[in-house]
Amino acid sequence: MIINHPLLGPRDAAEFVHLGDAAMIDRPDWQAKDAAEAFHDYLYLRDNPAGTYRELWYHEQGDRSWLVVIRDTITHDIKNVELARDHARRRGRSR
Amino acid sequence: MTGRFRIPGGLVDRTQPIGFSFNGRELSGLQGDTLASALLANGQRLVGRSFKYHRPRGILSAGPEEPNALVQLHRGARLEPNTKATVTELFAGLAATSQNHLGSLDFDLLAVNDLLSPFLTAGFYYKTFMWPKSFWEKVYEPLIRSSAGLGRLSGEADPDHYDKGFLHCDLLVIGAGPAGLSAALAAGESGARVILADEDFVMGGRLNSETHAVNGQPGHEWAARTVAELAEMETVRLMPRTTVFGAFDHGIYGVLERRRDHLPPLADGSSDSRQPRQILWHIYTKRAILASGSIERPIAFTNNDRPGIMLAGAVRAYANRFGVACGQRVAVFTNNDDGWRTAADLQDKDIDIAAVVDTRSLPDGPPIHLNARVPIHAGEEVVDTRGRRGITKLVLASGKRVRADCLAVSGGWNPSIHLSSHHGGRPVWNDNIAGFVPGERHPPNLSVAGAAGGSLTLGSAFREGTAQAAAVLDSLGYPPSRRPVPEASDEPAAISAFWHVRESRGRAWIDFQNDVTDKDVRLSHREGYRSVEHLKRYTTLGMSTDQGKTANVNGLAAMAKLSGRTIPETGTTVFRPPWTPVAIAAFAGRSRGRDFRPVRLTPSHRWAEEQGAVFVETGSWLRAQWFPRPGEHGWRQSVDREVRTTRNTAGFCDVTTLGKIDIKGTDAGTFLDRVYTGTFSTLPIGRVRYGLMLREDGIAYDDGTTARLGESHYLMTTTTANAVLVFRQLEFARQCLWPDLDVHLVSVTDGWAQFSVAGPHSRDLLRTIIDPQHDISNAAFPFMACSELTVCGGCAARLFRISFSGELAYELAVPARFGDSMIRRIAQSGLAFDAVPYGTEALGVMRIEKGHASGNELDGQTTALNLGLSAMVSTKKDFIGMTLAKRPELNRKDAVRLMGFIPVDRAAPLAAGAHFLARDADPTTENDQGWMSSAAHSPILGHDIGIGFIERGHERVGEIVRAWDAVRGRDTDVEIVSPHFLDPKGDRLRG
């Protein structure tokens, strides 16, 4: 596979490490009332879609960017790649 | 002369005879021969025995689809089984042997299996070797193993070299037949970067095997001229002897180039012996054209597997390309016009045509006119054949017998669509050619041209090749090609689907390689295995090295007939890579033996080698394990001395392998608070703190020390094993969880050489190295202090007063390029202090004596509570693992605790892996109370010690339990003690 890195252009997937669901970005609030349940769901429950999947890739043999890649799990067609940092900020993560 | 079946013509060089051997018999072929054509030229029709019934088998095809003619090449370590004779380029000294027979090829003792065939049908293994159960291991399995499989491996390491490479192009053309050549020509002329790959050693595809005219000249001459023209084009790369075996994601193709398989093996140690035998290429393409042609299929009739029964196109190829007659009297059996070309071409070469049998009634007469003397049987079928080691007669449905020593069979042509379905696309049925053509879901940017797409005539191959190239040029912005489409006629190619002669009474072979007959398909149907996937697995149809290239469609047709469905209703299996087998050595490339993965050497490695150190692999590092001295026998003596000397005077050790992460930014402290269980934002500058990291699930992950070098500058160390993973995790936390924290990470593991200097004399030793303006007295530089300072007269260094051994100890870091100098300086200065180098074994002994957790304890199952580190876990802040570490199950009252263990009989040995039981308890899972995680002999205490986890251990000090070690057959009474065997108050390390 080839991942079109937003900073570095097209790079071979062999340079990357794959983590999985981009929902790993949405780490729950530790002080919330239901924190234990929320962390359980966060850590253990994953979608496994046949189709569009938003997932995390890490450019370990490169610039060490974490990326959010939207990939079709059936065709491996990659529809979008962005820096995970940008995605995380849009999801409300900051400090 | 190079064989009595050699006839004039062909693309072989008659001035270049080549000596080779088959089963030890010296034979001669010509430059341009394959092993198969050379064997046929010498009249060697019997070349192997079939897989199951050990039937005599000959050459069926002239290409990579060959199911029968599998031979072993070479000798010794280079012995290579299952090589297709039909694609093996002949070279001087080639030594081939037949395989799969007991005794000689001519008299195979296992041919008795053929007589037992009623018992050896599909599902035989499943039904037969069921009982008695005890027979499986002792009788059945050895029996099956000895008779199963094709060929033999040498059992020695492969002496050849393999390589990998990467290529990029605008257009990859797969196959250099008429469609591929015309596509490459048009694209290359317009300046596109083209790679043209073909598995044959002569490009041209069927043009070399046919007698078609192209632009008014012989087809093979046009092909040769075109290849020469392409070779002159700067943007075109020609890759003969190259197989495109897989279409992978995003336009990447897996490609195997055979660089030396057509040359005699190199002598080991010769100057070229490191030249790669094969290269595995990854080709990155913008577009690809599949011009892989088609493969002829046989027809199933009784005894259709005898040597001399061949595919009609192959018989023609051997005559036209190789100048070899496959028989002296050749009969043709066909259901289509193309089969007639074999009769016409052979007749032109004065070979006797015994008969043409066409299953069609041919109301309009023969599609090609032959000499009037040739007997033509229209609407007729071959129902049986005769001949023990090769065909002598065929029997027609009418009962008529025809004498022939070769039967050329054509059941039509199957497009070679394999690569088009490598992304899961299902082929679709095409009635016009009675075959499958590529369906939806091609690999993106792959188009199909010529016979591979079902356009079986030469004219259409040229038209489609040129048109597909034009489409590629247009889509990539290249100017259109002005090259006209090569001129060729559309030869007759009508076909009437015909698969199986129903009047056959005996076995009719469908899959030659796996010995699957029409009876097996019937049995599979009768027993309910009717889907194509079940048919394949129950009968083994389409398995093994040829993957059913000549068998699959015929097998489907037979099943369709039995189940009253059409072939498309019956379905087809899709193809996966590889198109033809690829040696594992090619996938491994240079990653084998000591080059399997990179080896990391510590900065002191060369010095340690000079000291005669014994090395051990720890992850990808090689570390000194111990340093034997003259007169020491066995590792224990050396390790005991290293421990004793370090504890009595001083010792030093390379600890560069620990991960080092430089952390900077105004939020560095906050960031560390969130990844460690403890608090680091409050750590004073110039101090070090021990840190424990959890996984998000609350299990202990990694530990190490982190030093604060400045207001916004920390240096973290990780364990050697987790250096890469922790860094990855920290980057994840930084970029994905808290993207706006001002913090930056750099791995500096390789940037700094770091040495532990430990023992009562370590401070005095270091004083001789560290520049005198730096005060390292106990008052100025206490336990857990750190500082940036200089050594050896101005060299930048870092000093940390931390201790893994439990002694007064320091870690001294210098830029990695000074690592070798520094170890030599420490060793030299150390002489005055009786300091010794110590290795990882002594390091391990000292940390066990001190009760420090290491990889054995941080094993992915233990929590801070288990490790006795609860006091280090903050409850006032968020950190990774914080919430889930509070789960009740992880905090049970009877949780295991890290404790020390000593044998009641002090002479008894201890070992990691033993499980703890109450003294009178049976060794059962229910009674299991924990396990010993690390053990060592303590030279200081004079007996073995262990640390490990045991239920409520902290409440049970002094209790005697069993350390039950079934692996080593030991059962030892041990006493539960504190895990800190030595200096529990820490007076030594603070001294």
Side-chain angles (χ1 to χ4, degrees):
Chain A
M1 290 206 300
I2 293 169
I3 294 173
N4 197 7
H5 192 301
L7 304 177
L8 303 174
R11 310 297 312 173
D12 193 292
E15 296 174 2
F16 292 81
V17 170
H18 177 252
L19 179 66
D21 201 326
M24 287 301 289
I25 287 172
D26 302 323
R27 188 169 181 272
D29 176 6
W30 68 292
Q31 288 172 309
K33 248 194 200 143
D34 63 343
E37 279 73 39
F39 268 92
H40 169 272
D41 294 357
Y42 164 72
L43 192 63
Y44 295 113
L45 302 186
R46 292 278 187 287
D47 289 335
N48 184 20
T52 303
Y53 197 33
R54 199 182 292 269
E55 57 194 9
L56 284 160
W57 291 74
Y58 175 52
H59 199 203
E60 187 152 83
Q61 308 294 323
D63 75 339
R64 299 167 2 220
S65 288
W66 277 94
L67 306 179
V68 171
V69 175
I70 302 179
R71 180 176 64 102
D72 188 313
T73 58
I74 298 171
T75 62
H76 292 188
D77 185 31
I78 291 178
K79 295 186 170 66
N80 191 56
V81 184
E82 66 176 329
L83 293 176
R85 166 172 276 150
D86 294 340
H87 179 82
R89 284 186 179 128
R90 273 209 317 284
R91 304 283 301 172
R93 302 209 67 89
S94 176
R95 292 176 58 82
Chain B
M1 198 57 199
T2 60
R4 59 200 167 94
F5 285 85
R6 196 65 78 170
I7 56 174
L11 309 180
V12 284
D13 185 350
R14 277 153 215 278
T15 66
Q16 299 279 330
I18 290 178
F20 72 103
S21 73
F22 181 69
N23 284 347
R25 196 153 68 94
E26 297 297 327
L27 299 169
S28 179
L30 295 175
Q31 184 71 43
D33 262 331
T34 62
L35 175 59
S37 67
L39 288 170
L40 287 168
N42 284 280
Q44 181 71 42
R45 297 210 293 173
L46 173 60
V47 297
R49 290 278 175 167
S50 75
F51 181 57
K52 199 156 85 174
Y53 301 127
H54 293 258
R55 301 257 300 182
R57 287 288 167 80
I59 292 154
L60 180 77
S61 74
E65 67 271 33
E66 178 62 34
N68 286 343
L70 304 179
V71 296
Q72 303 207 142
L73 295 188
H74 311 306
R75 300 186 178 94
R78 285 195 169 81
L79 188 69
E80 178 127 342
N82 296 331
T83 311
K84 299 178 190 79
T86 50
V87 294
T88 300
E89 197 173 344
L90 199 67
F91 57 81
L94 174 71
T97 52
S98 54
Q99 52 188 35
N100 208 37
H101 46 82
L102 185 65
S104 77
L105 175 60
D106 284 345
F107 297 98
D108 176 7
L109 296 173
L110 286 173
V112 67
N113 282 4
D114 200 28
L115 302 175
L116 299 174
S117 65
F119 306 103
L120 290 172
T121 52
F124 165 71
Y125 288 82
Y126 310 129
K127 294 168 186 166
T128 310
F129 297 117
M130 297 293 289
W131 48 262
K133 211 176 163 189
S134 62
F135 267 41
W136 177 250
E137 226 171 277
K138 292 206 173 68
V139 182
Y140 295 146
E141 195 182 336
L143 188 80
I144 294 169
R145 281 197 188 282
S146 74
S147 61
L150 293 162
R152 284 212 164 68
L153 294 169
S154 71
E156 293 174 52
D158 187 334
D160 285 314
H161 293 268
Y162 300 80
D163 216 336
K164 283 186 191 175
F166 300 84
L167 294 172
H168 298 258
C169 65
D170 291 322
L171 173 64
L172 171 66
V173 181
I174 303 158
L181 283 175
S182 53
L185 197 58
E189 198 187 51
S190 292
R193 290 183 306 154
V194 177
I195 292 174
L196 175 60
D198 195 289
E199 55 194 348
D200 206 331
F201 52 95
V202 184
M203 288 189 161
R206 286 298 298 180
L207 286 172
N208 295 325
S209 296
E210 304 287 0
T211 50
H212 300 299
V214 181
N215 290 347
Q217 55 183 310
H220 66 87
E221 282 181 21
W222 179 87
R225 208 163 302 175
T226 303
V227 170
E229 197 178 339
L230 287 167
E232 293 298 310
M233 294 183 180
E234 270 182 23
T235 61
V236 175
R237 180 179 182 129
L238 298 179
M239 299 183 77
R241 302 184 179 96
T242 299
T243 302
V244 180
F245 64 81
F248 299 99
D249 290 313
H250 304 165
I252 303 170
Y253 288 81
V255 177
L256 185 76
E257 184 182 12
R258 290 172 294 278
R259 294 285 278 252
R260 299 202 46 91
D261 283 1
H262 61 296
L263 301 172
L266 290 161
D268 295 330
S270 72
S271 60
D272 283 339
S273 65
R274 287 194 67 87
Q275 291 295 310
R277 176 186 167 200
Q278 298 176 344
I279 299 176
L280 189 83
W281 295 101
H282 299 230
I283 301 188
Y284 295 74
T285 69
K286 290 181 181 156
R287 301 285 185 277
I289 293 177
L290 181 64
S292 47
S294 55
I295 289 173
E296 202 169 19
R297 58 185 174 236
I299 296 173
F301 53 89
T302 302
N303 291 318
N304 62 337
D305 67 330
R306 296 191 197 282
I309 302 179
M310 302 172 67
L311 294 170
V315 173
R316 207 150 76 223
Y318 287 116
N320 292 332
R321 174 174 168 180
F322 299 102
V324 173
C326 294
Q328 284 156 338
R329 217 175 122 72
V330 179
V332 173
F333 180 32
T334 183
N335 66 346
N336 65 82
D337 294 351
D338 193 70
W340 288 75
R341 295 199 65 85
T342 301
D345 285 0
L346 295 187
Q347 181 183 268
D348 286 348
K349 292 180 181 295
D350 294 327
I351 295 167
D352 206 6
I353 304 298
V356 177
V357 183
D358 196 318
T359 59
R360 303 170 298 177
S361 53
L362 302 175
D364 301 327
I368 294 173
H369 285 281
L370 301 174
N371 188 318
R373 288 196 311 271
V374 175
I376 291 168
H377 304 275
E380 180 58 287
E381 294 163 11
V382 178
V383 297
D384 200 354
T385 64
R386 300 275 187 271
R388 259 190 79 203
R389 294 203 192 98
I391 185 170
T392 53
K393 273 194 201 84
L394 39 140
V395 183
L396 305 185
S398 59
K400 190 171 167 52
R401 286 159 193 247
V402 178
R403 195 171 56 79
D405 61 354
C406 173
L407 175 58
V409 180
S410 180
W413 292 77
N414 290 326
S416 296
I417 56 180
H418 304 65
L419 285 159
S420 79
S421 73
H422 278 184
H423 287 197
R426 290 208 165 253
V428 295
W429 184 252
N430 179 327
D431 265 327
N432 292 334
I433 62 162
F436 284 101
V437 294
E440 300 291 304
R441 280 195 57 198
H442 280 199
N445 296 322
L446 174 79
S447 50
V448 185
S455 305
L456 295 177
T457 66
L458 182 55
S460 59
F462 282 134
R463 284 193 297 278
E464 289 186 9
T466 311
Q468 296 292 5
V472 166
L473 291 171
D474 184 52
S475 70
L476 295 180
Y478 284 99
S481 165
R482 293 178 309 274
R483 182 76 62 152
V485 178
E487 270 177 51
S489 57
D490 278 323
E491 66 278 14
I495 180 169
S496 161
F498 185 89
W499 315 102
H500 178 216
V501 175
R502 299 193 63 200
E503 290 76 8
S504 303
R505 272 190 289 275
R507 285 169 295 163
W509 267 260
I510 288 173
D511 184 327
F512 295 107
Q513 184 158 99
N514 290 297
D515 265 341
V516 178
T517 68
D518 57 342
K519 285 190 170 171
D520 296 311
V521 178
R522 277 206 296 278
L523 187 70
S524 177
H525 176 260
R526 202 162 62 229
E527 300 194 344
Y529 298 102
R530 294 174 191 183
S531 80
V532 287
E533 287 81 8
H534 285 155
L535 172 67
K536 172 171 180 166
R537 278 148 191 92
Y538 196 60
T539 64
T540 69
L541 174 83
M543 293 191 181
S544 206
T545 68
D546 69 341
Q547 288 288 297
K549 289 186 174 64
T550 56
N552 282 344
V553 174
N554 286 1
L556 274 175
M559 180 55 83
K561 188 97 184 164
L562 289 165
S563 53
R565 293 173 296 180
T566 63
I567 290 174
E569 281 167 357
T570 307
T572 179
T573 51
V574 295
F575 303 96
R576 287 182 296 244
W579 148 251
T580 48
V582 180
I584 288 173
F587 287 110
R590 289 176 185 259
S591 300
R592 47 186 281 199
R594 57 165 296 195
D595 297 328
F596 180 66
R597 63 179 179 191
V599 176
R600 300 172 81 181
L601 301 182
T602 62
S604 65
H605 187 82
R606 195 146 41 120
W607 174 83
E609 268 183 338
E610 290 165 18
Q611 306 306 307
V614 173
F615 292 95
V616 62
E617 283 183 33
T618 56
S620 52
W621 292 94
L622 269 188
R623 298 184 70 180
Q625 197 172 7
W626 67 86
F627 293 82
R629 289 241 169 122
E632 287 178 344
H633 302 290
W635 65 276
R636 257 286 301 283
Q637 253 190 313
S638 308
V639 172
D640 284 358
R641 170 185 51 77
E642 289 171 16
V643 171
R644 239 186 256 116
T645 314
T646 301
R647 294 217 183 278
N648 289 336
T649 55
F652 53 96
C653 176
D654 190 326
V655 293
T656 305
T657 60
L658 294 177
K660 307 182 204 71
I661 301 171
D662 204 70
I663 302 173
K664 278 186 178 165
T666 53
D667 293 321
T670 309
F671 180 75
L672 286 166
D673 289 347
R674 293 190 189 165
V675 298
Y676 272 137
T677 62
T679 306
F680 283 76
S681 52
T682 58
L683 180 67
I685 295 168
R687 284 292 179 276
V688 185
R689 191 166 281 170
Y690 174 77
L692 174 69
M693 268 180 216
L694 304 186
R695 308 190 310 212
E696 194 68 274
D697 64 1
I699 299 289
Y701 179 38
D702 199 68
D703 69 344
T705 58
T706 287
R708 189 164 195 177
L709 298 172
E711 178 59 33
S712 54
H713 186 193
Y714 292 79
L715 183 73
M716 173 189 281
T717 65
T718 72
T719 60
T720 300
N722 282 338
V724 170
L725 299 175
V726 167
F727 188 75
R728 186 188 299 167
Q729 165 72 13
L730 294 187
E731 282 291 0
F732 173 79
R734 187 179 80 91
Q735 297 176 39
C736 300
L737 300 183
W738 304 296
D740 291 329
L741 285 182
D742 176 32
V743 58
H744 297 273
L745 311 171
V746 178
S747 168
V748 294
T749 304
D750 297 271
W752 293 85
Q754 194 151 319
F755 303 100
S756 163
V757 182
H761 294 169
S762 58
R763 183 186 292 126
D764 294 336
L765 196 170
L766 283 173
R767 276 186 172 132
T768 68
I769 296 170
I770 289 165
D771 292 342
Q773 69 270 28
H774 306 291
D775 183 0
I776 59 168
S777 66
N778 199 30
F781 200 77
F783 181 56
M784 293 307 241
C786 70
S787 177
E788 293 185 285
L789 38 67
T790 57
V791 294
C792 305
C795 174
R798 289 169 173 173
L799 187 67
F800 310 89
R801 187 164 163 197
I802 50 180
S803 177
F804 199 44
S805 58
E807 296 301 321
L808 166 67
Y810 300 81
E811 288 188 14
L812 177 65
V814 292
R817 63 185 181 282
F818 298 129
D820 180 71
S821 311
M822 182 49 73
I823 192 79
R824 290 173 198 277
R825 176 62 191 272
I826 295 172
Q828 192 194 11
S829 301
L831 291 174
F833 301 93
D834 295 325
V836 291
Y838 65 92
T840 55
E841 287 296 331
L843 184 90
V845 171
M846 288 192 279
R847 72 100 190 164
I848 295 169
E849 286 179 334
K850 197 59 195 164
H852 283 152
S854 183
N856 288 12
E857 286 71 41
L858 296 162
D859 66 350
Q861 310 180 63
T862 52
T863 62
L865 177 74
N866 300 145
L867 290 160
L869 298 173
S870 298
M872 294 190 49
V873 180
S874 167
T875 53
K876 298 188 182 70
K877 56 155 186 141
D878 186 19
F879 58 86
I880 290 174
M882 194 269 183
T883 303
L884 293 180
K886 291 189 291 198
R887 286 182 284 180
E889 190 63 20
L890 297 184
N891 295 281
R892 291 164 61 113
K893 286 235 153 43
D894 61 352
V896 295
R897 307 283 182 138
L898 183 65
M899 298 305 293
F901 299 88
I902 52 175
V904 172
D905 168 7
R906 295 287 192 270
L910 298 180
H915 276 252
F916 299 123
L917 302 164
R919 278 182 98 175
D920 48 2
D922 290 330
T924 63
T925 307
E926 293 72 43
N927 292 334
D928 185 11
Q929 297 192 353
W931 67 99
M932 188 103 73
S933 51
S934 300
H937 177 78
S938 167
I940 305 299
L941 301 175
H943 57 80
D944 277 15
I945 56 172
I947 57 174
F949 298 90
I950 188 164
E951 288 172 8
R952 294 182 297 102
H954 61 306
E955 298 168 358
R956 297 168 64 185
V957 172
E959 191 182 322
I960 310 289
V961 293
R962 282 167 74 187
W964 186 74
D965 187 350
V967 174
R968 298 175 186 83
R970 293 180 193 159
D971 192 353
T972 315
D973 282 349
V974 294
E975 182 185 341
I976 304 175
V977 297
S978 155
H980 312 295
F981 295 95
L982 198 83
D983 187 29
K985 294 209 177 86
D987 295 334
R988 287 175 180 234
L989 51 83
R990 290 193 173 79

